[in-house]
Amino acid sequence: MQHFPIFLNTSGRRVVVAGGGAAAVAKLRLLLKTEARLTVIAPEADAEIAGWAAEGRLRLVARAFEPGDALCATLVYGAAEDAAEDARVARIARAEGASVNIVDNLAGSDFITPAIVDRDPVTVAIGTEGAAPVLARSIKAGLEERLSPVLGTLARVGKAFRGAADALPMGRKRRDFWAAYYDEVGPRVHGEGGAAALTPALKELLARHLHASEAPGHVALVGAGPGDPELLTLKARKALDAADVVIHDRLIAPEILELARREATLIAAGKQGFGPATAQEDINAMMIAHARDGAQVVRLKSGDPGVFGRLDEETEALDAAGVAWSVIPGITAAAAASAEIGCSMTRRGRNGALRLITGHDMDGFAEQDWRALAAPGAVAGIYMGKRAARFLQGRLMMHGAAPDTPVTIVENASRPDRREIAARLAGLPDAVAGLDGPAVLLLGLAPRAASRIQLEEAAQ
Ligand code: SAH
C-alpha cells in the first residue's frame, strides 16, 4: 500500500487550487462539499468558478500563483493543466509546508483524491493507486446502487442521538438498538415521514430498548457441513453472522470460521480423531454460561449436528439449565461423499434402506446388525471407520458378505485435499492404511465417475 487512506479534517483549513480551467472545476466540485476555506489562484477563471466566488463560497485571486500563496495551506492542488506551471506551483507549495496534488500526475503528487461515494457523514473512499481507474469507477457505481440514498440522513440524525443512546449499556444492548435503527426503523420512518420523523422515532425506539427485559441468550446447534463453505445452509450463515460466541469442533475448516461475526469469540472444543478432547461436560457448561450471559451462542458441529454429533446430550443439558436452543441441520459427511463419487445412496431394486453407522463407540469397535449389512445390495455410510476397518471386514465376511463387495473410501469430502479410493471388502484394511484426514467408508457403493478417482483395487 503506497498510499495510505485517511480522512482529513478540513474544517476551517486553507485549501488552495492553482488553476482556473476544467481540471480546477472538477476538483472544486468535490472540495465545495467540505468545510475548508477555499482559495482559487488563476490569471483566468472559468465562469463557474467566478460564480462560486460571487456566492462567497470561495475566494478568487486573479493572478498567477506566487511564493507565499501556500503559507498556512494544508492542501494545494496544481490544476493549471500545464506541466511546467504545475511543477512550479508544487515546488513553492512544498517549500511552504503544504501537501500537493497535481491533477492527473500520480508521480508528482504527495496525495491522491480517491473516487468517493458520498452519503455524508458516511463516506466511502476508493483508491487503486492509479492502477485501474475503470475498476474504481465500477466499484463506486456498485456502492452507489447498494447504499440507500437516505443513509447520510439516517447517519446524521443518528450521530446527534449518540449521547442519548449512551443510556443503554455498552455492548450487545447498544448494538441491537443501532442495528434496529439502521436496518429497519430508520429507513421505514424516513420513507413514511421524512427526516423530521427520525428523531421522535429514535426516542421511541430507545424507550422500548431501555425497558426491554434483558435479551435472553440462545444456543443454535448448527451443522457446518463437510468442509466446503459453499455447502453451508443460508440459515447456518445467518446464525454465524449474528453469533456472539462460536464454540466449534476442531474439524471445522478455517474458511467457515472466517464467516463468523468479526467480534464473535471463537472457542475450539471437541476432539480431533483420537486426539485430546474437551470433556462433554465442559462444552455443556461453556454453552450454558455464555447463554446465561445473554449471548447468542453458535455450537458449530461438522456435517449434521444430529449424526454422531452428541446432539442430544447437549440439548438435554441446555434443557436442564433452562436455556433456549434450536437446531440447524447440515450436510452430513456420507451425503457429501456419495455426491462426490456420483452415487445415489438409495436405489430402487437395490437398497430400500440406508444405514449410517459408526466404526467405534465408547466401548470400542461397535457391534451392528451385521446380517443386514452383509446382505447383497446393502448400503451404509460408515463414520469413524478407519481404525475399525479390519474388524468391519471380519464381521461382514463372517455374516456372508461377498469379498468383492465395493467399499469406497472418501477422505476429506468436499475439501480441496479430498481423496477417493475405490476398494473391495477383501482389501479394505490395506485401502485405509495411511489415511490421516476424516474419512467416511461407503459400503456397497462404487464410484461412478471412475476417471476422477484413484483406483486401488485390492487383491481378491
Ligand atoms: N456430524 C458429522 C460426523 C461427526 S463424526 C457429520 O454429520 O458428518 C466424525 C466423522 O465424520 C469422521 O471420523 C469421519 O468419518 C466423518 N467426516 C466428517 N467430515 C468428513 C469429511 N469432510 N470427509 C469425510 N468424512 C468426514
Side-chain angles (χ1 to χ4, degrees):
M1 201 190 291
Q2 194 189 354
H3 293 86
F4 180 64
I6 53 166
F7 289 92
L8 185 77
N9 184 356
T10 57
S11 182
R13 297 303 187 85
R14 179 169 149 78
V15 173
V16 177
V17 176
V25 169
K27 287 292 176 236
L28 285 165
R29 285 217 176 92
L30 289 175
L31 290 167
L32 282 166
K33 293 170 180 239
T34 72
E35 297 175 17
R37 287 187 297 117
L38 298 176
T39 302
V40 177
I41 303 178
E44 280 172 42
D46 187 281
E48 205 167 355
I49 298 178
W52 287 324
E55 288 168 15
R57 299 179 69 191
L58 52 79
R59 197 164 70 88
L60 179 58
V61 182
R63 59 164 168 77
F65 190 88
E66 292 172 0
D69 280 343
L71 285 174
C72 299
T74 312
L75 305 179
V76 170
Y77 284 86
E81 300 171 73
D82 173 295
E85 173 62 4
D86 281 339
R88 189 184 69 86
V89 168
R91 254 191 324 275
I92 296 172
R94 276 198 193 103
E96 292 176 359
S99 292
V100 177
N101 173 271
I102 300 179
V103 175
D104 289 336
N105 178 351
L106 183 65
S109 295
D110 303 324
F111 69 94
I112 48 182
T113 316
I116 294 171
V117 180
D118 176 14
R119 299 286 187 278
D120 183 44
V122 178
T123 313
V124 185
I126 305 153
T128 64
E129 310 243 22
V134 175
L135 181 61
R137 272 199 291 278
S138 84
I139 295 173
K140 175 174 154 70
L143 287 172
E144 292 285 5
E145 217 166 89
R146 250 191 58 196
L147 299 179
S148 150
V150 303
L151 182 65
T153 310
L154 295 185
R156 215 168 13 257
V157 176
K159 188 175 173 191
F161 201 75
R162 286 188 81 87
D166 286 352
L168 286 165
M170 223 164 78
R172 170 155 208 100
K173 282 202 104 177
R174 215 182 282 175
R175 228 170 34 232
D176 285 351
F177 166 77
W178 285 117
Y181 170 65
Y182 282 108
D183 297 344
E184 187 216 318
V185 175
R188 177 171 50 73
V189 168
H190 189 280
E192 290 163 3
L198 288 173
T199 304
L202 272 168
K203 284 184 184 149
E204 198 186 306
L205 184 67
L206 179 62
R208 244 191 296 142
H209 278 247
L210 279 171
H211 297 122
S213 54
E214 269 308 312
H218 178 269
V219 178
L221 300 118
V222 177
D228 179 353
E230 294 203 19
L231 292 180
L232 276 175
T233 63
L234 288 176
K235 277 200 172 167
R237 277 214 64 163
K238 277 192 198 152
L240 282 169
D241 261 354
D244 298 306
V245 177
V246 178
I247 303 173
H248 63 91
D249 283 356
R250 290 199 170 85
L251 264 181
I252 304 290
E255 298 87 315
I256 289 180
L257 296 176
E258 288 276 310
L259 299 172
R261 198 161 62 84
R262 201 156 48 93
E263 298 82 7
T265 309
L266 300 183
I267 304 171
K271 59 183 208 145
Q272 178 164 32
F274 293 85
T278 309
Q280 188 62 51
E281 301 76 60
D282 293 343
I283 298 177
N284 296 349
M286 245 183 313
M287 290 191 297
I288 291 165
H290 285 293
R292 283 189 173 152
D293 263 2
Q296 300 301 304
V297 180
V298 164
R299 170 72 177 111
L300 194 61
K301 292 162 171 288
S302 78
D304 182 273
V307 177
F308 304 122
R310 305 187 72 172
L311 176 69
D312 282 351
E313 290 167 63
E314 298 187 0
T315 54
E316 280 159 19
L318 293 170
D319 271 340
V323 170
W325 52 268
S326 58
V327 179
I328 298 177
I331 293 180
T332 192
S338 60
E340 217 142 80
I341 63 165
C343 280
S344 170
M345 289 196 282
T346 60
R347 182 176 176 140
R348 283 203 294 173
R350 180 191 66 195
N351 65 314
L354 166 72
R355 289 176 174 75
L356 301 182
I357 68 173
T358 174
H360 68 87
D361 59 20
M362 281 183 300
D363 305 324
F365 296 145
E367 290 298 347
Q368 305 286 353
D369 179 357
W370 300 114
R371 191 164 301 283
L373 286 162
V379 174
I382 307 174
Y383 292 66
M384 296 166 277
K386 278 184 302 184
R387 279 256 203 115
R390 194 167 292 285
F391 168 80
L392 289 162
Q393 178 198 44
R395 283 289 195 276
L396 287 166
M397 300 216 346
M398 199 162 82
H399 288 81
D404 66 352
T405 304
V407 186
T408 303
I409 299 137
V410 182
E411 186 191 31
N412 293 315
S414 88
R415 300 178 188 205
D417 52 354
R418 63 174 155 245
R419 194 140 71 109
E420 297 141 16
I421 300 166
R424 306 261 172 206
L425 187 56
L428 183 60
D430 291 338
V432 297
L435 297 183
D436 54 7
V440 74
L441 319 184
L442 298 173
L443 173 70
L445 296 184
R448 288 183 61 91
S451 60
R452 279 182 39 223
I453 61 140
Q454 174 190 349
L455 275 175
E456 292 187 12
E457 285 282 357
Q460 310 209 354

